[in-house]
Amino acid sequence: MPHVVTQSCCKDASCVPVCPVNCIHPTPDESGFATGEMLYIDPDVCIDCSACVTACPVSAIVADYDLEVADLPFADINAAYYEEPSHQGYSTTPVVANKRRFELHERGPLRVAVVGSGPAAMYAAEELLTRRGLEVEVDVYERLPVPWGLVRFGVAPDHQLTKSVTKLFAKTGSRRGLFFHFNVEIGTHLTHDELLEHHHAVIYATGAPRDRRLGVPGELLEGSHSANEFVAWYNGHPDFADMSFNFGVERAVVVGTGNVALDVARVLASDIDYLTTTDMADHALEALRYSQIREVVVLGRRGPEHAAYTLSELVGLTNYDVATVPDALSSPDPKTQFLKQVAAQPKSEGRRRIVFRFLSSPLELVEHSGRVRAVRVVRNELVDGDTSPTDDVEEFDCGLVLRSIGNRGIPLSGLPFDQVLGTLPNVAGRVVDSATAEPLVGVYATGWIKRGPSGVIGTNKQCAQESVESLLADFSNGKLRVPSQGRPHLDELIGLRQPSSFGYSGWKAIDAYELKAGREGRRPRRKLVDVSTMVDVALGTCPTR
């Protein structure tokens, strides 16, 4: 029986090299990999060997006979991929992993600083630490007391399989030669120049934490927020734990049609009994328990065929009441047709519903007593492939607006910054001077700060590999400066600047604490959200590594 890739696919591509018949596509070497939503298993070629199941870091691959009811659509999605003419005739020659051996040309370890501890950072660290013939020390700097970045604070709490990629990161975190520095902020406790004094190279993996604005009147009213803030709040990010949102209204509006927009809409429409089985932050569960929201409107500037959400994310709405405006969904593309099927399902009495309004843009957030009271929306039409506003304007009541229209990076002290793209200007991961386009010695980027907010978790693996290849080439060719200071000086400096910093054993103490609290409540974990409490648990349980 064939195996099936399901919605939790992270596109890590660990499954590709272990497949003996090359039935998983697109591979990282194929043109569709960078732009594809997920990987697909050819049901006519799969020999049911289960090698991919073991290799998958998020348990996303399941035998077709073991699929849960909610995941049954993925059997058809996988098969349909290979029915497209451009995807037929893939070679069945086994793919062989070919990681080039690094030839060391300098005595002593290569010392690399990685700023950030999310997927991009951990893939970069793993690439360095597993390179044959290379003696390396990697120092990971994380400003929070907890690691994993957007996997912890961005992935929806009901997507636990996706979060399981942290098992792979934990393996990396335990490798010899890796040193974590939690609760240490670059720019506050250490400068960029000080990192270069203690390391041959610095890899920035700081993501794209700043949201984009709508640019409409009323956007700054109370009740108007970014989806990033809402996601960080319900996922227990310490910086957002004290925020409040207006759930005492009947309608909420989400602007945007990406995966984050659908996550937000799904959370707002979910029953509280379902959410209490997840690792959602306690304060969010308490607030959502009393939510009066009955309808969540998702506004899309263009048509459903142009929506940014993935098909796998749309599959997650099969157990929700969904409607579309307009009702007619005529585009033949798979996402539109699947949405049409979901919207046609029988509705349940009293259940919250999600309404997709395509070809619609917000014109203004209408005020009442300093708060959002309503949204004025203009109907768009497609003209030469782009949208153009019509004279059809509608106003409807709502008290909560969440914008989900993209992210951008933030400037880093002492480094060039592309204000248009919101990234560090770079060539193949080498950060370059904005004026001369010449590479800065020893400075690299990976993840969203390198390429912008695109792709899924596994996309960062190939991104990190490219950046690390550039770094190693520069090291091999003698282009990196030898650090002027050693580890003892670094440890002393961090201890003076941030006495409450700690290493990997401190995080393990926090992890054990949260998991134990979760088991007691029959939940995956109960997150700590207060920094001082996190530090107390970390420093009071285990010695600093």
Side-chain angles (χ1 to χ4, degrees):
M1 304 293 283
H3 282 65
V4 178
V5 179
T6 66
Q7 65 184 34
S8 53
C9 172
C10 69
K11 260 182 73 174
D12 172 283
S14 296
C15 57
V16 171
V18 302
C19 178
V21 293
N22 190 22
C23 72
I24 306 175
H25 298 275
T27 70
D29 295 329
E30 293 166 348
S31 59
F33 182 84
T35 57
E37 295 181 354
M38 55 186 285
L39 304 183
Y40 306 86
I41 295 177
D42 188 338
D44 294 330
V45 179
C46 177
I47 60 173
D48 194 23
C49 71
S50 300
C52 56
V53 176
T54 303
C56 179
V58 294
S59 303
I61 302 177
V62 183
D64 60 357
Y65 50 82
D66 280 336
L67 286 170
E68 299 288 342
V69 173
D71 290 332
L72 287 175
F74 285 103
D76 294 332
I77 291 170
N78 277 251
Y81 177 82
Y82 292 94
E83 292 174 0
E84 298 181 29
S86 60
H87 300 153
Q88 293 175 4
Y90 276 125
S91 170
T92 57
T93 302
V95 176
V96 179
N98 182 26
K99 182 176 283 189
R100 180 175 62 87
R101 178 182 176 89
F102 179 77
E103 298 298 335
L104 192 62
H105 291 285
E106 180 176 337
R107 295 187 64 184
L110 167 65
R111 299 183 60 197
V112 180
V114 178
V115 182
S117 67
M122 298 314 298
Y123 281 125
E126 177 73 4
E127 188 68 20
L128 285 164
L129 292 163
T130 57
R131 187 58 62 99
R132 291 182 300 160
L134 176 65
E135 184 183 1
V136 62
E137 293 181 358
V138 178
D139 289 83
V140 175
Y141 298 87
E142 170 56 60
R143 73 176 186 88
L144 294 173
V146 291
W148 315 148
L150 280 180
V151 178
R152 181 180 172 100
F153 297 120
V155 174
D158 58 342
H159 284 178
Q160 288 299 309
L161 283 179
T162 304
K163 290 174 181 279
S164 65
V165 72
T166 57
K167 295 177 183 178
L168 178 66
F169 301 155
K171 182 178 179 180
T172 300
S174 300
R175 289 192 183 280
R176 182 178 180 180
L178 185 64
F179 302 87
F180 274 99
H181 305 279
F182 291 106
N183 213 26
V184 175
E185 184 172 17
I186 303 307
T188 300
H189 303 116
L190 293 175
T191 67
H192 169 71
D193 289 341
E194 286 172 334
L195 287 181
L196 286 177
E197 287 177 6
H198 294 86
H199 305 86
H200 291 84
V202 181
I203 302 177
Y204 284 92
T206 52
R210 182 169 294 171
D211 65 280
R212 297 183 183 274
R213 295 290 181 87
L214 294 170
V216 301
E219 185 173 13
L220 300 181
L221 289 171
E222 187 176 350
S224 172
H225 309 270
S226 75
N228 290 340
E229 293 172 329
F230 183 55
V231 171
W233 172 77
Y234 66 59
N235 272 325
H237 194 297
D239 293 351
F240 301 89
D242 293 332
M243 291 190 68
S244 61
F245 299 85
N246 184 14
F247 302 125
V249 294
E250 291 193 355
R251 180 183 289 118
V253 171
V254 180
V255 183
T257 57
N259 282 350
V260 173
L262 263 61
D263 280 343
V264 166
R266 193 179 64 256
V267 165
L268 290 172
S270 291
D271 184 83
I272 190 64
D273 291 338
Y274 172 62
L275 295 178
T276 54
T277 65
T278 72
D279 66 351
M280 179 176 283
D282 287 353
H283 61 256
L285 289 173
E286 185 64 20
L288 289 168
R289 184 180 301 279
Y290 303 102
S291 173
Q292 300 299 308
I293 293 173
R294 309 310 305 168
E295 180 178 275
V296 184
V297 177
V298 179
L299 293 182
R301 182 175 66 90
R302 307 182 73 185
E305 66 275 19
H306 303 114
Y309 53 69
T310 60
L311 182 56
S312 59
E313 189 74 19
L314 200 57
V315 171
L317 297 182
T318 52
N319 292 324
Y320 293 78
D321 284 355
V322 175
T324 59
V325 179
D327 293 330
L329 297 172
S330 57
S331 176
D333 71 283
K335 287 194 293 189
T336 301
Q337 289 307 302
F338 190 83
L339 178 58
K340 186 176 182 179
Q341 294 177 32
V342 174
Q345 293 178 159
K347 305 299 186 286
S348 302
E349 183 69 26
R351 190 158 67 172
R352 298 184 179 107
R353 71 171 189 161
I354 300 172
V355 180
F356 287 84
R357 296 177 65 99
F358 295 105
L359 291 170
S360 301
S361 297
L363 285 178
E364 178 185 3
L365 307 189
V366 183
E367 176 187 5
H368 177 70
S369 300
R371 301 179 64 93
V372 174
R373 178 190 64 79
V375 176
R376 293 182 66 237
V377 175
V378 62
R379 182 78 177 157
N380 299 323
E381 61 182 1
L382 286 176
V383 178
D384 295 330
D386 203 355
T387 56
S388 178
T390 67
D391 295 329
D392 184 1
V393 176
E394 180 181 359
E395 179 177 308
F396 52 87
D397 293 340
C398 82
L400 176 63
V401 177
L402 301 171
R403 61 184 180 273
S404 182
I405 55 174
N407 298 63
R408 56 185 285 113
I410 57 177
L412 302 171
S413 179
L415 294 176
F417 190 72
D418 188 322
Q419 295 289 350
V420 176
L421 298 178
T423 60
L424 292 176
N426 71 93
V427 176
R430 294 182 177 92
V431 176
V432 299
D433 184 274
S434 298
T436 66
E438 289 296 317
L440 303 183
V441 177
V443 186
Y444 304 84
T446 189
W448 283 5
I449 194 64
K450 169 187 173 183
R451 68 180 191 277
S454 62
V456 292
I457 292 173
T459 309
N460 293 292
K461 184 175 183 177
Q462 285 68 43
C463 183
Q465 287 173 342
E466 179 187 57
S467 298
V468 169
E469 283 293 341
S470 295
L471 187 159
L472 293 180
D474 292 344
F475 181 52
S476 180
N477 294 327
K479 295 182 178 180
L480 302 184
R481 300 189 184 101
V482 177
S484 60
Q485 300 288 348
R487 181 163 302 281
H489 184 269
L490 175 65
D491 292 340
E492 180 183 1
L493 189 62
I494 293 175
L496 289 172
R497 301 273 183 83
Q498 176 56 307
S500 59
S501 64
F502 54 89
Y504 195 59
S505 60
W507 153 243
K508 295 298 287 183
I510 294 173
D511 187 40
Y513 184 97
E514 292 182 339
L515 291 174
K516 182 176 184 293
R519 287 193 298 271
E520 293 171 351
R522 297 183 179 181
R523 298 173 56 194
R525 74 169 61 231
R526 290 184 65 185
K527 293 179 179 176
L528 296 173
V529 299
D530 177 69
V531 169
S532 62
T533 303
M534 293 176 180
V535 172
D536 287 342
V537 171
L539 297 182
T541 305
C542 298
T544 303
R545 175 181 171 183

